Amino acid sequence: VLLIPVWPLSITGGLAFGTWGFVLVPVSATLGSLAAFLISRYVAREKIREWLTRQARYRAVDEVVAEEGWKVVVLLRLSPLVPYNLMNYFCGMTGISFAAYLVATFVGTIPVTAMYVYLGLVGQAMASGTMGWPQWAFLALGLAATVGVTILVTRKVRPRLEASRRADAFDRPDPHSL
């Protein structure tokens, strides 16, 4: 809600709560996401949406979210490269339903928050000198998954963005024809 990075809190959840962090962090992250979504949807939406609809990137992403809804939110949640807090507010500006957003946010938050909680547990293992090859393997697997999801989301949004740009160019009058 406060637009601060959440990953340090998730890692701290792993350090502080151990395996309970795997339950507490996704639930807490979902509750915070819902608060930002609702603020965006019911307080700021009308004021900001008018400006956003003039932005080609927003229109392209909004179209994808409207069509694919929960799938897009899950995919975006799977990437720790997407700023969660901004995404919460952005999704409140789109046409996704509250129920779809809630489920997609919770499901999509689990893997990434689990990775961060796991990093907290790895921190405990490193501090105690018990870090082994399985921990390193899971770390590498998480990085590969992040890269894969980022590529998938980019491939899904890029054609919409290009189509939106072409439509904008078609709708604009040619300045040389006057």
Side-chain angles (χ1 to χ4, degrees), residues 26-46:
V27 170
S28 300
T30 300
L31 291 173
S33 297
L34 292 176
F37 176 88
L38 292 171
I39 290 168
S40 174
R41 168 108 357 136
Y42 296 108
V43 176
R45 185 178 189 179
E46 292 306 316

Side-chain angles (χ1 to χ4, degrees), residues 1 3-4 6 32-34 36-38 40-41 58 61 65 69-94 96 100-102 104-106 108-109 112 149 153:
V1 174
L3 295 174
I4 60 172
V6 295
S33 297
L34 292 176
F37 176 88
L38 292 171
S40 174
R41 168 108 357 136
Y58 169 78
V61 173
V65 171
W70 66 270
K71 294 177 195 174
V72 172
V73 173
V74 168
L75 287 173
L76 289 170
R77 290 284 179 209
L78 289 173
S79 175
L81 302 177
V82 175
Y84 269 29
N85 296 332
L86 291 177
M87 184 185 149
N88 300 330
Y89 288 103
F90 178 79
C91 285
M93 300 288 170
T94 68
I96 190 168
Y101 180 78
L102 168 66
T105 294
F106 182 70
T109 297
V112 174
V149 166
V153 169

